[in-house]
Amino acid sequence: LKWRWNLFIFILTYTVAWLFMASMWWVIAYMRGDLNKAHDDSYTPCVANVYNFPSAFLFFVETEATIGYGYRYITDKCPEGIILFLFQSILGSIVDAFLIGCMFIKMSQPKKRAETLMFSEHAAISMRDGKLTLMFRVGNLRNSHMVSAQIRCKLLKSRQTPEGEFLPLDQLELDVGFSTGADQLFLVSPLTICHVIDAKSPFYELSQRSMHSEQFEIVVILEGIVETTG
């Protein structure tokens, strides 16, 4: 969600929760008759000095925010009020944890950062260092670095096992430098990622003509830590 909707949900959740809990305190005072006897010094109400909804709301906010002005307080003559107080404490902790977690996730999400990592639109197969190689490029458009960047490639392709079992989306790992450490990237400039088509490669038995008719997909996964936010 956009920031304005996140803030709207943040404010709305607290407002609804506070109004609901204040209404519960007002209902208890109303059902016990505290509202009519609030100014009677000989009467012990559930919550002292709660005589209408605004005063019930102020008592709730003082309790929830642990302000404690001292004018309104719960008494021991009200077991239902004690139960509601426990429920209020638990509900307040849950709402705080949920909303703070949502805001933290929103601030730490690297969506914009991911848009500045670019991959080449097309992969190419050519000779490099005397070996037939599948190649594509990846680049970082920002000045801030990606820490511990690592790249992996998955080949998604349907196949049938020798036992006759059909695997609709079999995943095969394409070696892009695990043994040599070439999969650990230092993205200060655009890099060319290479997969050598040797006897261990899934493309070893494919020809240029069969490559056009084969149904497969290569998924490239780039993982790393954003330097500024972690």
Side-chain angles (χ1 to χ4, degrees):
L1 295 178
K2 295 183 179 180
W3 268 109
R4 58 177 176 265
W5 290 110
N6 276 274
L7 294 175
F8 174 75
I9 293 174
F10 187 90
I11 295 171
L12 182 65
T13 303
Y14 272 115
T15 303
V16 172
W18 288 1
L19 290 175
F20 171 75
M21 291 306 303
S23 301
M24 295 295 291
W25 285 110
W26 180 85
V27 168
I28 287 180
Y30 176 78
M31 294 181 65
R32 286 173 52 89
D34 295 350
L35 301 179
N36 300 325
K37 303 176 183 179
H39 300 288
D40 186 356
D41 296 334
S42 62
Y43 176 73
T44 303
C46 181
V47 180
N49 301 306
V50 170
Y51 41 82
N52 53 21
F53 182 77
S55 59
F57 183 79
L58 287 175
F59 168 74
F60 165 76
V61 173
E62 290 175 25
T63 307
E64 181 66 23
T66 64
I67 297 174
Y69 291 126
Y71 185 66
R72 296 177 180 86
Y73 53 90
I74 190 171
T75 64
D76 57 355
K77 303 296 183 181
C78 182
E80 59 268 32
I82 296 175
I83 294 174
L84 181 60
F85 171 74
L86 295 175
F87 176 74
Q88 171 186 324
S89 300
I90 296 172
L91 180 64
S93 299
I94 293 174
V95 171
D96 289 342
F98 176 76
L99 290 179
I100 291 173
C102 289
M103 295 301 289
F104 177 77
I105 292 173
K106 176 64 179 175
M107 288 186 290
S108 61
Q109 243 182 353
K111 270 190 174 180
K112 297 293 183 182
R113 187 65 179 88
E115 293 175 359
T116 58
L117 294 169
M118 305 298 293
F119 295 87
S120 54
E121 289 190 18
H122 304 286
I125 295 179
S126 179
M127 297 298 294
R128 171 173 279 198
D129 297 327
K131 300 176 182 178
L132 195 62
T133 307
L134 171 70
M135 295 177 287
F136 60 91
R137 302 188 79 192
V138 59
N140 178 19
L141 299 184
R142 286 197 185 180
N143 292 328
S144 59
H145 292 172
M146 292 283 293
V147 182
S148 302
Q150 183 180 19
I151 196 162
R152 296 183 295 122
C153 290
K154 292 282 188 179
L155 176 66
L156 306 182
K157 181 182 178 182
S158 302
R159 73 179 182 93
Q160 192 165 1
T161 64
E163 295 79 15
E165 181 184 3
F166 179 73
L167 303 177
L169 279 178
D170 190 30
Q171 298 186 16
L172 298 175
E173 195 80 22
L174 294 182
D175 188 359
V176 289
F178 306 123
S179 57
T180 61
D183 60 322
Q184 305 290 332
L185 305 183
F186 185 47
L187 275 177
V188 292
S189 63
L191 297 176
T192 301
I193 310 301
C194 300
H195 165 68
V196 177
I197 302 178
D198 53 12
K200 299 179 181 179
S201 172
F203 300 120
Y204 185 70
E205 297 181 357
L206 293 181
S207 64
Q208 182 178 357
R209 178 177 298 177
S210 62
M211 185 81 72
H212 292 286
S213 59
E214 283 287 330
Q215 297 292 324
F216 64 88
E217 184 176 357
I218 300 174
V219 178
V220 181
I221 305 166
L222 177 63
E223 298 175 300
I225 300 172
V226 179
E227 186 181 39
T228 52
T229 63

